[in-house]
Amino acid sequence: MNRVADELRNRVRGDVVTADDATYDTARAVYNAMIDRRPLAVVEADGVPDVMATVAIAAARGLPLAVRGGGHNVAGFGTCDDGIVLDLGRLDGIRVDRDARTARAEGGCTWAQLDHATHTFGLATVGGTVSSTGIAGLTLGGGMGLLTRRYGLTCDNLLGADVVTADGRLVHCDTDRHPDLFWAIRGGGGNFGVVTSFEYRLHPVDTIIGGPTIFAIDADVLRAYRDFLADAPRELTAIFAFAPAPPAPFVPPEWHNRPACIVLGCWSGDPEAAGPVYDEIAGFGELVAQGVGPMPYPAINQLFDELLPPGIRHYWKGDLRRELTDDAIKAHVEHSSKVPCPESGVFLFPLDGAVDDVAADATAFAHRDAAFSTAYCGSFGDADATSDVVAWVRDAYEAQRPHSLDAGYINFMAGDDAERARANFGDHWDRLARIKATYDPENLFRLNQNIPPAA
């Protein structure tokens, strides 16, 4: 008999799914098919009281507690063996205040849901690049996307949050109420509680000019991107990728799925000013194709959705760097020309512009002095390719170690990167550990890039 499940069913209104239920395999599955874990129970919470009750039971019984928003965490922190999974997927309410330019979204929302709601009013906040990603994990880790150079990190646009802490209490935090907790959840990950709602600042973003510009692989392309971005208008966020060219109609057939340099641009300023910017980008190197045009802002965050559906496999690594040197570019070209499958790639996210406007100690995001966050993304459908893809990710990552910081963006970390947590949180580690001791002294929320509570 599953006594934990019985206790949960007596306390929560949502469904409690166990191995005896036909829906168990579906309920325990996460985005990354490399993760296969068997929890004692999956609680599909039907409101904040269910969250509070589940946290209290996990704490009282000393059980592992995995908190799942969108389930995208590639390290598999959205599930666990022999513990409780708290699934927030049903907490997906959104309220947009058009006049105040704010949105309150519950912790189970995805970026597709939030983008759809805010776009109705011609507004947006900084989100991710795959629309099925949960807002919770991305925001708590810092958050970067295609509006970052203009409007900062996702956590820079967070105005407040409701959090269920390890003792089962619901607290609201912002700059005035529990400001230490508010500071910590803006970049400190899921270490401090379960965030049941987020309040975001919105910006007037409706139709953008964006899409990919594709080149033959050449070090000069990345050098040109680096030099161009240093003085580029903030209205442009452009992510650089070494990845296979998509089999899109605007791409010549001989280039379909062939490794290439790709600049994915998002221009959120005056549409009339976008043309010269993209003309300059097109001159970075040997041009293969350019698929740039006007589109609703939510559409650019859906470009990768078909390529990266739930149920494929992922092995990622990440690093940060203060500069993109010629030696680093040479190493990138050497390894990125060997991208093993269409879903994989190396992606450089710029961290300049509005990110630099925020003081280094204003949030828990620890590395605002970095110029780029790099993601080495091994994503693939064929399980037989696992060893080859993992080896490619590790080789590409190791080749950049001499050219990057020891730290990385926590949302890009694989499951074998736990020892990097202290470096990832940098100079903020001690402060975060003290806050952890206040709100989670027993380290209930440990299935993450973990910060143990200070003694």
Side-chain angles (χ1 to χ4, degrees):
M1 180 182 296
N2 191 331
R3 294 183 178 178
V4 172
D6 291 342
E7 185 175 0
L8 288 165
R9 289 187 178 111
N10 287 332
R11 296 276 301 276
V12 306
R13 189 171 66 176
D15 293 329
V16 178
V17 183
T18 69
D20 296 329
D21 296 306
T23 58
Y24 179 67
D25 285 339
T26 300
R28 70 186 179 90
V30 290
Y31 181 73
N32 183 0
M34 289 181 72
I35 308 300
D36 184 19
R37 295 181 184 144
R38 301 186 66 84
L40 292 174
V42 178
V43 178
E44 297 174 345
D46 198 26
V48 174
D50 284 3
V51 175
M52 298 169 71
T54 303
V55 168
I57 290 170
R61 287 187 166 269
L63 290 170
L65 176 65
V67 183
R68 180 192 303 163
H72 268 239
N73 184 278
V74 296
F77 294 139
T79 188
C80 61
D81 286 320
D82 302 321
I84 300 172
V85 172
L86 175 55
D87 189 328
L88 304 180
R90 297 183 185 179
L91 277 71
D92 61 356
I94 299 171
R95 183 182 184 277
V96 177
D97 186 328
R98 178 178 56 187
D99 295 333
R101 290 184 178 174
T102 62
R104 181 176 290 274
E106 291 186 306
C109 292
T110 65
W111 284 105
Q113 292 170 311
L114 184 55
D115 283 345
H116 173 74
T118 59
H119 183 70
T120 301
F121 303 99
L123 300 169
T125 195
V126 180
T129 55
V130 177
S131 73
S132 56
T133 304
I135 66 170
L138 187 131
T139 304
L140 296 174
M144 55 193 70
L146 286 160
L147 295 174
T148 291
R149 294 189 71 246
R150 188 171 189 186
Y151 295 120
L153 300 172
T154 309
C155 69
D156 298 337
N157 292 277
L158 188 65
L159 300 173
D162 292 331
V163 185
V164 175
T165 55
D167 57 4
R169 290 184 302 139
L170 176 67
V171 301
H172 181 81
C173 64
D174 53 28
T175 55
D176 297 319
R177 292 165 287 184
H178 299 282
D180 55 342
L181 179 61
F182 185 53
W183 180 87
I185 67 170
R186 289 177 290 163
N191 276 283
F192 307 95
V194 183
V195 181
T196 58
S197 74
F198 298 81
E199 184 177 6
Y200 295 101
R201 179 186 300 109
L202 304 179
H203 307 278
V205 178
D206 191 343
T207 298
I208 57 92
I209 310 297
T213 304
I214 303 171
F215 307 89
I217 288 184
D218 191 315
D220 286 343
V221 177
L222 185 48
R223 277 193 286 266
Y225 164 84
R226 173 196 66 190
D227 297 342
F228 166 79
L229 202 63
D231 297 313
R234 290 189 177 192
E235 290 87 346
L236 177 75
T237 296
I239 298 169
F240 190 97
F242 288 103
F250 68 90
V251 179
E254 64 270 22
W255 275 91
H256 288 185
N257 296 322
R258 180 175 165 184
C261 293
I262 302 174
V263 177
L264 177 63
C266 176
W267 176 267
S268 58
D270 178 1
E272 298 297 323
V277 171
Y278 283 110
D279 287 345
E280 188 170 354
I281 290 174
F284 285 178
E286 181 187 337
L287 183 65
V288 171
Q290 189 171 50
V292 171
M295 65 182 78
Y297 171 70
I300 200 165
N301 285 335
Q302 297 170 5
L303 292 182
F304 297 119
D305 287 6
E306 187 174 343
L307 185 67
L308 299 170
I312 67 171
R313 304 167 75 83
H314 302 271
Y315 181 81
W316 295 7
K317 294 244 179 232
D319 64 37
L320 295 159
R321 65 193 67 214
R322 292 194 179 98
E323 59 179 338
L324 187 57
T325 65
D326 288 346
D327 286 342
I329 290 172
K330 180 180 178 181
H332 269 309
V333 170
E334 177 184 350
H335 289 276
S336 297
S337 60
K338 304 171 187 175
V339 176
C341 49
E343 302 91 344
S344 296
V346 176
F347 302 87
L348 283 80
F349 291 75
L351 291 176
D352 61 338
V355 178
D356 295 335
D357 293 343
V358 179
D361 61 352
T363 71
F365 185 83
H367 297 285
R368 291 183 187 271
D369 56 340
F372 294 97
S373 173
T374 310
Y376 306 85
C377 299
S379 300
F380 55 106
D382 183 3
D384 292 338
T386 300
S387 59
D388 290 340
V389 175
V390 169
W392 172 77
V393 169
R394 288 175 175 168
D395 287 347
Y397 166 74
E398 288 296 333
Q400 292 297 323
R401 290 292 291 274
H403 314 295
S404 60
L405 304 175
D406 288 337
Y409 172 49
I410 66 171
N411 287 341
F412 292 158
M413 298 292 106
D416 55 8
D417 284 323
E419 77 284 353
R420 297 180 61 194
R422 189 179 189 108
N424 294 340
F425 294 114
D427 292 341
H428 294 161
W429 177 268
D430 290 342
R431 182 177 176 185
L432 286 165
R434 291 193 297 271
I435 297 170
K436 175 80 169 184
T438 299
Y439 291 96
D440 184 14
E442 301 300 323
N443 205 10
L444 174 65
F445 301 110
R446 60 185 177 272
L447 298 183
N448 44 45
Q449 284 280 309
N450 192 236
I451 303 166

